[in-house]
Amino acid sequence: MYHDQITSGSLTFREPFLLGAATAAYQIEGAAHEGGRGASIWDTFSHTPGKTADGATGDVAADHYHHLEADLDLIASLNLDAYRFSISWPRVMPLGDGDINQEGLDFYSRLVDGLLARGVEPVVTLNHWDLPQSLEDRHGGWRGRQTSYAFERYAEVMGAALGDRVAIWATHNEPWNNSYSGYGSGAFAPGVRSHEAALRAVHHLNLAHGLGVAALRRTITRPDARVSVVLNIFRIEAEPGHEEAARRVDAIANRAFTGPMLRGAYPAELFDYTRHVTDWSFVQPGDLETCHQPLDLLGVNYYEVMHVRGAADLDPENLSLGGTDFPSSEYVETVQPESLERTGMGWGIEPQGLTNLLLALTEEYPELPIMVMENGAAFHDQVTQIDGRPAVLDHHRTSYLIGHATATHRAIEQGANVQGYFVWSLLDNFEWALGYGPRFGVVRVDYETQERLPKLSAHWLAELCATRTIPHLREHP
Ligand code: FCB
């Protein structure tokens, strides 16, 4: 078993270090047509036949909107230092750039106050993919530059509303998925399949990030608040002799975002790799300066290593690359090493990849503290009975978390500047196009009754947060 390989029980996270759990609005809130909320591209997409598993939608999800107080108590019961959630943009600005919906702002204000009252730091993501549908209809969503300006205004509204209380702000979550899955492969909302559209989205997300950071700096007042972005920077491992494939993926998937945001330039090789797709004329003078704003933190999401090799003979019309897509004139193939244990999603389990990623990021950006803003796993949970009470003994998930918390600790020991670790996810939730099949929560959600049941992993997390030392795996809570 994987957990036999784990040594822990004596590794302590020293302050300043935030331990927490994460969620996203569309994945948990429900109440899609309540409280003055406008439609998002995920409402439209999930209601389009064939786009999500079993036609699942986020209409109800974990109904967090109606379980706010109970969920706040649940968060407090896990001893979290911090809770990361996202704002539903169309809940606060139903058309994206028009009127403000006070009822939506009030909901998030209650959430933030409820966290602070329980001693939990609020960590807010502005864009976790649920773009107002109206911006898609009027401006082509992230294909259009107007959406970046709408995001600037949205960031300003949120900074003014919550900026006196929120500890950490992130502009985007995984703009990679937002652009390449949303506009490239079409696997995610809004379901556009065009390499050119994906690269336009990349740039307008980068521009929105810069405009958004500046808007937050103008409006937030909490003196120790920090501003960041959450990227799923891939740890890429090439098969021997296939280093060029790794360079391509690195340019298109990673440096297309870190370049503008952290260095103020797109890497030159990105233009070469995508020459057949676009001339990048949508990048206007001054944009890269705007994208490049000083950040207080870099958020990273880590789930698995990407193993690649070059595949020049693939059909050039074939968009697919390991389930995701990259516009590239030379094709890259992902490979799945057979030796790895896998999660319920089939994702390879390699905690060492997280250590390597964190060390590489500190080496490249020594001034920038890092937080692991998402890490976790879906497994096929079973509800059993212990002493006549229902329980989920999710040893696999707990082992996964022990392995990755330990990997984070190892990175710190070796000099990585890591200041936080957040588990994905607090609750089982709507896993995007995969619907309600995969369960990532440390707390089980019964979607019939909306009952919450902390799994063994939740007890483990509560102990980690209370003791700051990575607990051993136990058989029972
Ligand atoms: C990440 C997303 C998050 C969740 C996890 C499993 O890519 O940011 O919303 O779906 O994957």
Side-chain angles (χ1 to χ4, degrees):
M1 284 292 288
Y2 169 69
H3 53 75
D4 291 342
Q5 304 160 18
I6 287 158
T7 53
S8 61
S10 56
L11 303 178
T12 302
F13 290 105
R14 290 202 188 74
E15 317 262 357
F17 193 92
L18 290 181
L19 290 162
T23 61
Y26 191 73
Q27 296 181 274
I28 64 163
E29 279 181 10
H33 309 292
E34 286 173 63
R37 178 182 177 281
S40 81
I41 57 174
W42 269 97
D43 295 296
T44 310
F45 184 78
S46 65
H47 279 274
T48 306
K51 298 296 186 192
T52 64
D54 303 322
T57 75
D59 285 2
V60 178
D63 204 26
H64 168 68
Y65 188 79
H66 294 119
H67 290 73
L68 181 60
E69 286 301 313
D71 285 346
L72 283 164
D73 289 341
L74 179 68
I75 289 166
S77 76
L78 299 182
N79 311 315
L80 306 184
D81 297 330
Y83 171 61
R84 174 176 175 235
F85 62 96
S86 79
I87 309 282
S88 160
W89 183 351
R91 194 180 284 295
V92 297
M93 297 174 83
L95 301 180
D97 56 0
D99 292 343
I100 297 167
N101 175 34
Q102 189 59 42
E103 212 178 327
L105 285 184
D106 291 346
F107 172 74
Y108 295 109
S109 196
R110 281 203 304 283
L111 172 51
V112 166
D113 286 343
L115 290 169
L116 292 172
R118 290 163 178 82
V120 181
E121 289 288 10
V123 177
V124 167
T125 308
L126 291 176
N127 168 33
H128 203 128
W129 311 346
D130 48 351
L131 184 78
Q133 180 64 42
S134 178
L135 294 176
E136 191 64 38
D137 296 341
R138 287 179 292 134
H139 306 310
W142 290 112
R143 286 168 287 182
R145 198 176 167 89
Q146 288 307 318
T147 297
S148 309
Y149 296 122
F151 183 82
E152 175 182 28
R153 170 88 186 106
Y154 163 50
E156 214 165 56
V157 166
M158 293 318 303
L162 305 179
D164 53 338
R165 288 161 288 163
V166 166
I168 298 175
W169 293 86
T171 51
H172 301 306
N173 175 76
E174 300 192 356
W176 176 86
N177 251 318
N178 218 174
S179 50
Y180 293 114
S181 305
Y183 296 86
S185 71
F188 282 2
V192 174
R193 282 175 67 88
S194 154
H195 286 168
E196 205 257 347
L199 294 174
R200 294 179 76 93
V202 165
H203 181 63
H204 294 130
L205 283 157
N206 286 328
L207 182 62
H209 162 80
L211 293 167
V213 171
L216 288 170
R217 301 264 189 226
R218 289 196 293 274
T219 46
I220 59 182
T221 54
R222 182 173 154 161
D224 62 343
R226 292 187 280 178
V227 177
S228 69
V229 61
V230 178
L231 304 176
N232 55 320
I233 299 177
F234 290 100
R235 175 74 198 172
I236 304 162
E237 305 278 355
E239 286 193 349
H242 290 256
E243 289 73 19
E244 172 60 12
R247 271 195 293 278
R248 281 174 185 268
V249 181
D250 190 39
I252 295 170
N254 292 338
R255 293 180 193 280
F257 302 102
T258 54
M261 290 183 189
L262 304 179
R263 298 269 191 241
Y266 283 107
E269 66 271 23
L270 178 64
F271 300 125
D272 291 340
Y273 295 148
T274 59
R275 200 177 294 289
H276 61 300
V277 174
T278 177
D279 60 4
W280 291 80
S281 53
F282 43 80
V283 180
Q284 295 189 9
D287 280 4
L288 286 159
E289 290 74 34
T290 304
C291 298
H292 185 209
Q293 299 291 324
L295 293 181
D296 306 311
L297 266 185
L298 175 63
V300 293
N301 294 347
Y302 175 84
Y303 291 93
E304 62 171 348
V305 171
M306 183 189 279
H307 295 272
V308 300
R309 68 171 167 235
D313 55 346
L314 268 188
D315 173 3
E317 293 305 313
N318 187 350
L319 287 175
S320 173
L321 180 133
T324 52
D325 308 314
F326 301 96
S328 171
S329 56
E330 180 179 298
Y331 285 81
V332 175
E333 200 176 359
T334 55
V335 283
Q336 312 222 315
E338 292 200 349
S339 56
L340 294 179
E341 290 201 39
R342 297 190 174 274
T343 70
M345 303 281 278
W347 296 352
I349 303 177
E350 281 180 279
Q352 182 64 43
L354 177 57
T355 308
N356 295 340
L357 175 69
L358 295 170
L359 285 167
L361 287 172
T362 288
E363 194 178 318
E364 192 160 356
Y365 311 105
E367 305 304 324
L368 200 54
I370 310 162
M371 285 197 188
V372 178
M373 287 296 198
E374 283 181 29
N375 173 245
F379 285 103
H380 304 290
D381 295 329
Q382 303 289 332
V383 182
T384 53
Q385 298 277 322
I386 296 182
D387 301 331
R389 287 211 295 262
V392 178
L393 300 177
D394 58 336
H395 298 117
H396 283 95
R397 180 177 296 102
T398 309
S399 295
Y400 180 100
L401 297 176
I402 292 172
H404 289 77
T406 303
T408 303
H409 198 279
R410 293 219 170 106
I412 296 169
E413 283 163 18
Q414 291 169 51
N417 187 2
V418 189
Q419 300 191 356
Y421 175 80
F422 288 70
V423 169
W424 183 271
S425 178
L426 174 70
L427 301 170
D428 287 340
N429 60 48
F430 174 79
E431 180 46 32
W432 307 111
L434 299 176
Y436 294 97
R439 289 179 177 269
F440 274 90
V442 293
V443 175
R444 182 177 177 88
V445 174
D446 178 330
Y447 295 116
E448 300 287 310
T449 62
Q450 294 297 342
E451 260 171 278
R452 275 73 166 135
L453 174 63
K455 306 175 191 176
L456 180 67
S457 54
H459 294 277
W460 173 86
L461 181 61
E463 192 180 334
L464 168 67
C465 295
T467 63
R468 315 203 69 77
T469 297
I470 303 172
H472 288 297
L473 185 72
R474 290 186 224 287
E475 285 305 307
H476 300 290

